[in-house]
Amino acid sequence: MVRNVAIALSLSFAAAAQQPAGAPAAQPAPQPAAAAEKPAPAAEKPAAAPATEKAPAEQAISADGKMHIDAAIAFLKAWGKGRWDEARPVAADKVAVKLGDKSYDVDVAGGKSEVKAVLPFRGLSTVREPGSGKVVGIAVSELAVKTDGAEKRGKARLTTEDKDGQVRVTAVELE
């Protein structure tokens, strides 16, 4: 008797799962009072969490990488347009810029620079420390920087620093 009730419950749940979302659920067959008092079959246990959810460590690394990329984008846009108020929250007071054998400083706090990023830029990705996976910079596949009337274009790397949950760009190196 109990086995028949368990089979009937299983079949009614399987039928309900196959119905479209908008369709009304089928009513289970009436059960004798003795069967209603028995514990629920093992088939009714809640399903495990979906396999697509990320582990907490993966979410932290992903969020960390997003913060660095967001800071890099904000810095490059602000630097390229000369909007120093927008660059201050995402950059160090002075950002060192290295173009080949020459070095320049972008004075974010003072609002001036001898070099300027040329928009648009393309292909941002995180650069991580081997072993720990900590984000230490952002690779840019295409960046142009204008200085003294000349423009240099190529791959670049932005060095980033995470202090107290605030990500800042500290250096730019163009290959």
Side-chain angles (χ1 to χ4, degrees):
M1 169 90 178
V2 173
R3 184 175 176 182
N4 291 342
V5 171
I7 292 173
L9 280 174
S10 297
L11 291 175
S12 67
F13 284 153
Q18 292 178 358
Q19 289 183 356
Q27 296 295 326
Q31 300 175 7
E37 296 173 6
K38 302 254 185 214
E44 293 184 31
K45 288 183 181 176
T52 58
E53 291 183 16
K54 293 182 180 178
E58 289 177 18
Q59 288 176 344
I61 289 174
S62 174
D64 186 42
K66 181 169 176 18
M67 289 172 47
H68 286 260
I69 287 182
D70 289 346
I73 291 170
F75 170 72
L76 290 171
K77 285 181 177 180
W79 178 32
K81 295 178 181 179
R83 295 183 179 164
W84 303 111
D85 289 338
E86 294 175 15
R88 285 185 187 103
V90 293
D93 289 343
K94 289 200 179 200
V95 176
V97 178
K98 186 174 179 186
L99 303 174
D101 59 345
K102 293 184 179 182
S103 294
Y104 302 92
D105 280 330
V106 175
D107 186 1
V108 176
K112 56 186 174 179
S113 175
E114 299 173 344
V115 293
K116 181 180 178 182
V118 178
L119 301 177
F121 49 87
R122 290 181 176 75
L124 277 68
S125 60
T126 56
V127 177
R128 297 181 184 269
E129 195 173 76
S132 71
K134 179 183 174 190
V135 178
V136 293
I138 300 296
V140 184
S141 62
E142 185 181 336
L143 177 66
V145 177
K146 186 183 270 187
T147 177
D148 303 326
E151 187 175 303
K152 183 166 179 161
R153 183 175 296 273
K155 292 183 179 183
R157 178 178 169 167
L158 281 66
T159 304
T160 57
E161 180 182 82
D162 186 354
K163 253 190 187 172
D164 302 325
Q166 182 67 31
V167 177
R168 296 180 184 268
V169 175
T170 58
V172 176
E173 185 174 354
L174 192 69
E175 294 177 2

